[in-house]
Amino acid sequence: MSNFQKKVSVKNFVTSILRVLKMAFKAGPLYICINNVIAIIHGLLYGLITLAMQLFFESVIRCIQNKNGLNEAIFMAFVLFAVVILAHTVNGLNNFMGTSYFKKVVGALNQKINIKSSRIAPISYENPSLLDDINKATLGANNSLGLLFTVTTIFSYYTPYFLFMFIYLYRLNPFLSLSLVVIFIPVALSQFLRNLIFSKLEDEIAPIRRETNYYKTTLAEKETRTLGAFSFFENLYISSLNLFNKITWKVEKKSGLIELIMQIITLAGYLGVLYIFVSTLLQGKISVGAFAAIFFSMNIMFNTMDTIISKHIANLTRNMGTINNFLNFLDMPEIVDSQKAQDENLDINLKNVCFSYPNSKKNVLNDINLNIESGKTIAIVGENGSGKTTLVKLILGLYTPTSGNVTIGGLDTKNVSLKSLFKKSSAVFQNFQKYKMTLLENIMISEINSDDSEKMNDSLKKAGLSLDEKVFPQNYDTMLSREFDGVELSGGQWQRVAIARGLYRTHDLIILDEPTAAIDPLEEANLYKKFAEISKVKTAVIVTHRIGSARIADKIVVMDKGQICEIGTHDDLIDNCGKYSNMFLAQSKWYTK
Ligand code: ADP
């Protein structure tokens, strides 16, 4: 269980509600005020219906007894009709305002999650529980709408309604009004306790839900079918789904029992109030008209109270767990970056750098010392798992070392704002994105505010991508997705698009972390050669396991099991007769065409 989850049950119920309300208020202060005023009018009008009904019944009785007064009865019928129509009109207006306001709020809350996600240290994303936390927070943000609806409805609609009814009933017989309170309190309290159960359920069920969804998506994948692994994943999916259903069922049973107890209490209250109504009528303390009106309203009142308790408050307590997840996510620690990156002098220096991933004690990088002079090309070579990608993430400032220091232009990456660091750098990783957009958009996305066709052509050329009509029939406007009536590029073509995207972005530092696996070794070597020539004034870091591509670099760093085992130029390293030269010999056949 993550720290994030542990905090859930400790969260104060009222504080959470107030926090969400404050955010909702900020999303549209005028809206919330108007909406609440309308809701208050609606609540009062709803109560007024009972009074209008009493007056109508009494006028009808008078009309029957006196055989006259028909006009009065017709007038009262008209008043009753007008109050009912007005109440419904105000209700419609209230719903309409509410819908647009809620859309505004949900947008604002989700925006908060997006902003928060961008302020969390990138290394935290290596921890799978963070993705759970984000999903739970998003669910919580959406459920906050329910909370907002419940709270505003209870305070602005039900409270004026019940206040009206309380005073009305009190004037008829004090016991009638007291019974409303006596029924409401125990039922509301028992619902309040449910909050604990549902907050625990969410913690218990989130990992299983994630697992179930994962197996479900795996079932649909091509590879699963071609490997014949369908039944393997199907079994995993079924057992995880069974577990999911079992836990859900356990909690549903518990909540059902609580619901039943609440209903019994409400029913007892209903019978009690009915008894009081009938006895006050029989004792002649209320008129027949008043009895008829409150008897009619009694159902409405009980249904309304039942709706508040078993729907609104139940939903509120049920969702409180996820809403707390949302609030706890917003409270997660953010990156502290007080300094801005330097404009000049982008020398990168790694001193005694060690690094381990969260949830793992093993050092993936061990005592790395490296100096990358501004404007030079560095190649990082080594076998899979030797730590190349991790190293470039530290060079970029994306991750900070567990011990030791990484400085860029003399500033420690721990203290430098990531935004200001990334402003000057560009990176293309192995798992780059294949955006289902046009070629132009796929490249421009790296610098969304620039529309420079010359730079675009240049980037394409450097990435070795020609605007062949057969591949890109609509030139830059060719859609790169079959799904949207476009073309399907090969792996190698996609890699070149990704490289072009990286190059299009204005940068002083560029990192290419093996986005070239689908490109032939000789072609990759040519591409990097051309690339090194063009980016002479820029700092470039190339990650590759192909020696032929590394030889153009000013400095080659050879990684082995998280350490630098050799460092130097191609010629130095060949003379060394170490790991590099062995790799060079083993791979030489790749380059003899
Ligand atoms: P390379 O780029 O040379 O293939 P990596 O930097 O990707 O190497 O990985 C170095 C080591 O770090 C590997 O042993 C890998 O298993 C481990 N590693 C990579 N990512 C993570 C992660 N998110 N959590 C834990 N260990 C990781």
Side-chain angles (χ1 to χ4, degrees), residues 50 63 451:
T50 315
C63 175
D451 182 9

Side-chain angles (χ1 to χ4, degrees), residues 125-127 356-360 362 364-365 382-391 393 399 430 513-514 543 559:
Y125 285 87
E126 295 291 347
N127 193 340
S356 62
Y357 280 96
N359 294 342
S360 151
K362 193 184 133 215
V364 166
L365 293 179
E383 280 154 18
N384 272 346
S386 58
K388 304 184 294 294
T389 298
T390 311
L391 181 60
K393 284 181 176 163
Y399 296 169
Q430 293 164 45
D513 181 1
E514 293 204 279
V543 175
M559 295 291 295

Side-chain angles (χ1 to χ4, degrees), residues 194-213:
R194 295 180 63 182
N195 177 37
L196 290 174
I197 302 171
F198 280 104
S199 130
K200 274 194 194 125
L201 164 76
E202 191 47 34
D203 284 346
E204 204 177 332
I205 218 159
I208 303 162
R209 186 192 294 128
R210 187 160 54 99
E211 195 180 271
T212 313
N213 286 342

